[in-house]
Amino acid sequence: MQVYADCPMSSNIDLLDEDDMESEVCSVASGPSIHFAPSVATSATSHDWEMRSASPAPSMYSVTSSLRAASYRHEFGRGINNYSEVYRLPADDEEFERLDHQHLMFMEVMGKYPPPLPEILADDTPGVTKTCVDLGCGSGSWILDVARDFPHCSAVAVDLVPMQDVNMPPNCRSEVDDINLGLQHFYGAFNVAHARLVASGIRDYKGLIDEMVQTLRPRGLIQLVEFDFRVYDVNKKPIMPSQLDEETPWVARWMNMVNIAVEQRGGEPDAANHLHHWLSTHPNLEETVYREFWFQTGPWKHGNDPYTARDNRIGAMMRDDILAFLKSGRPLLLSNGLDIAMVDELEANAERELIDAGAQTYIRVQNVYARRRAY
């Protein structure tokens, strides 16, 4: 069954049917046992198959200087993960701050969780601990909310670098892993599997969906949120590289360069446009829901009515996110061989355009979720 819904909130967000690392040691504790197979300590990276943890069993690890050195390297003034040559966006405090603000924006527009999640994670089965995993968790905003809102659950955060939150709830754990290597060590482990804005680091997104489905328990929930690294015009048509001319908005030119760089690195920048098809046709999934959200790239609408005011407020939040993303994208573009003068020009003009709200453009975010069949 495919479910479509209407957005009750706004005209520009159309819902159609998505301490600093200087301290020497930072210890992160996990929560109670959840009856999985034994695992090794999660201070080890899973970049090499032999080092991968067998399952999310409880542990404690210390984020020491040696682990930091193994997890990060600096490129073009930003901290980049040291394990994936595909994902080249930063994994530093500046980027995590951007992602935290982005999370608040997404929560306001899309809701905190997909509607089925609270029931799925409800503490309603004696002797069974509900479980949730966030793949490519970034700053951890989403999975930390889950851990705090559902303290009886076990929450697992997976990314290429360890989470740095010193206030991590006792029922949440952080694992360092490259999910491109597969998720066999998680098969059958979770009630909810979530991934948001990971396409730039995924070699085979359809294959990732297959792996995520395998991690689900019967009637478990898969939730995906992505955008396609495109900017859309006022008529909600994508501004493609073949259409570029002197009238093309600078933010669209910049985003098209990022799209190309992501693809050249091995990521799937257009995965968002296939999510609905991939989930709705998957043989082990049912009750697929597709939602589409259009975010203004700035507060460029005219009018004083409540809907326009809200659209512009959300547009200002997206503008700020893109302004920070311009900085985050530098290592990706420069490491891909673009001339620094070209990157500087694109960035400076896109920044000026965004601040002036000079282009009536959109970002399209797509969200799909579905349930695993009971058999």
Side-chain angles (χ1 to χ4, degrees):
M1 176 177 66
Q2 300 174 33
V3 182
Y4 296 81
D6 293 322
C7 177
M9 296 181 173
S10 164
S11 58
N12 85 305
I13 303 162
D14 296 333
L15 178 54
L16 303 180
D17 170 310
E18 166 42 13
D19 199 83
D20 190 312
M21 288 169 52
E22 297 301 317
S23 63
E24 188 62 22
V25 177
C26 172
S27 296
V28 183
S30 75
S33 174
I34 54 175
H35 306 296
F36 291 128
S39 74
V40 299
T42 56
S43 56
T45 175
S46 305
H47 180 62
D48 298 315
W49 182 264
E50 293 78 7
M51 297 176 67
R52 305 190 76 180
S53 59
S55 73
S59 69
M60 177 177 289
Y61 68 83
S62 295
V63 182
T64 62
S65 58
S66 60
L67 179 58
R68 288 199 300 270
S71 299
Y72 299 91
R73 69 173 178 259
H74 281 81
E75 291 184 1
F76 306 102
R78 299 298 296 268
I80 307 294
N81 85 86
N82 210 23
Y83 298 122
S84 173
E85 291 301 321
V86 181
Y87 187 78
R88 306 314 295 154
L89 293 176
D92 54 19
D93 289 345
E94 185 177 344
E95 178 70 354
F96 291 160
E97 182 178 1
R98 180 182 79 86
L99 295 176
D100 284 342
H101 288 297
Q102 182 188 80
H103 175 66
L104 295 175
M105 176 181 68
F106 282 167
M107 266 201 312
E108 178 167 352
V109 174
M110 303 168 65
K112 196 170 189 179
Y113 305 118
L117 186 144
E119 179 183 353
I120 292 170
L121 292 183
D123 189 12
D124 57 3
T125 308
V128 175
T129 299
K130 299 294 182 68
T131 55
C132 179
V133 65
D134 189 6
L135 300 170
C137 65
S139 65
S141 299
W142 190 87
I143 194 66
L144 289 171
D145 278 352
V146 171
R148 292 168 182 139
D149 290 345
F150 304 92
H152 56 278
C153 294
S154 179
V156 181
V158 179
D159 210 318
L160 292 162
V161 298
M163 278 210 308
Q164 302 293 319
D165 196 306
V166 296
N167 298 311
M168 187 180 294
N171 61 324
C172 186
R173 60 180 284 108
S174 172
E175 292 211 2
V176 178
D177 202 350
D178 182 353
I179 59 178
N180 284 301
L181 298 175
L183 301 172
Q184 293 89 338
H185 52 309
F186 285 143
Y187 282 4
F190 298 108
N191 298 96
V192 175
H194 171 269
R196 184 169 73 191
L197 303 185
V198 300
S200 63
I202 301 302
R203 292 187 182 276
D204 176 10
Y205 207 109
K206 187 173 185 292
L208 172 64
I209 290 171
D210 291 336
E211 288 289 288
M212 291 178 70
V213 172
Q214 294 257 49
T215 71
L216 291 176
R217 296 169 176 173
R219 297 294 292 155
L221 178 74
I222 179 174
Q223 150 98 334
L224 302 170
V225 179
E226 297 290 348
F227 90 112
D228 59 0
F229 293 87
R230 299 289 183 201
V231 172
Y232 288 70
D233 65 23
V234 70
N235 298 311
K236 299 180 179 176
K237 302 296 183 184
I239 303 171
M240 306 298 287
S242 60
Q243 301 169 311
L244 300 185
D245 56 35
E246 68 253 8
E247 300 300 321
T248 301
W250 283 97
V251 67
R253 302 186 204 193
W254 182 88
M255 194 69 77
N256 278 320
M257 297 304 296
V258 173
N259 185 296
I260 293 168
V262 166
E263 186 171 22
Q264 290 179 343
R265 277 285 178 179
E268 287 200 57
D270 66 340
N273 299 322
H274 304 285
L275 295 182
H276 185 205
H277 175 72
W278 286 338
L279 265 66
S280 63
T281 60
H282 197 288
N284 295 323
L285 295 175
E286 59 185 357
E287 298 178 28
T288 303
V289 175
Y290 172 74
R291 305 192 296 172
E292 182 180 64
F293 303 88
W294 294 93
F295 291 81
Q296 293 174 203
T297 58
W300 47 256
K301 279 190 176 178
H302 299 289
N304 298 314
D305 62 279
Y307 291 106
T308 298
R310 183 181 185 277
D311 288 352
N312 284 336
R313 182 171 57 81
I314 300 298
M317 297 171 73
M318 176 55 80
R319 174 203 59 200
D320 292 345
D321 182 64
I322 300 172
L323 286 170
F325 192 40
L326 293 176
K327 310 298 183 185
S328 300
R330 284 184 68 85
L332 171 66
L333 295 175
L334 293 173
S335 66
N336 233 44
L338 266 69
D339 181 75
I340 190 168
M342 175 186 291
V343 174
D344 287 345
E345 180 187 24
L346 285 168
E347 185 179 316
N349 284 299
E351 180 176 328
R352 181 164 50 252
E353 180 180 84
L354 287 164
I355 292 172
D356 293 342
Q360 297 186 3
T361 51
Y362 290 98
I363 296 293
R364 180 192 188 198
V365 177
Q366 298 181 67
N367 166 223
V368 188
Y369 59 87
R371 304 287 294 271
R372 182 167 186 173
R373 296 184 186 274
Y375 55 85

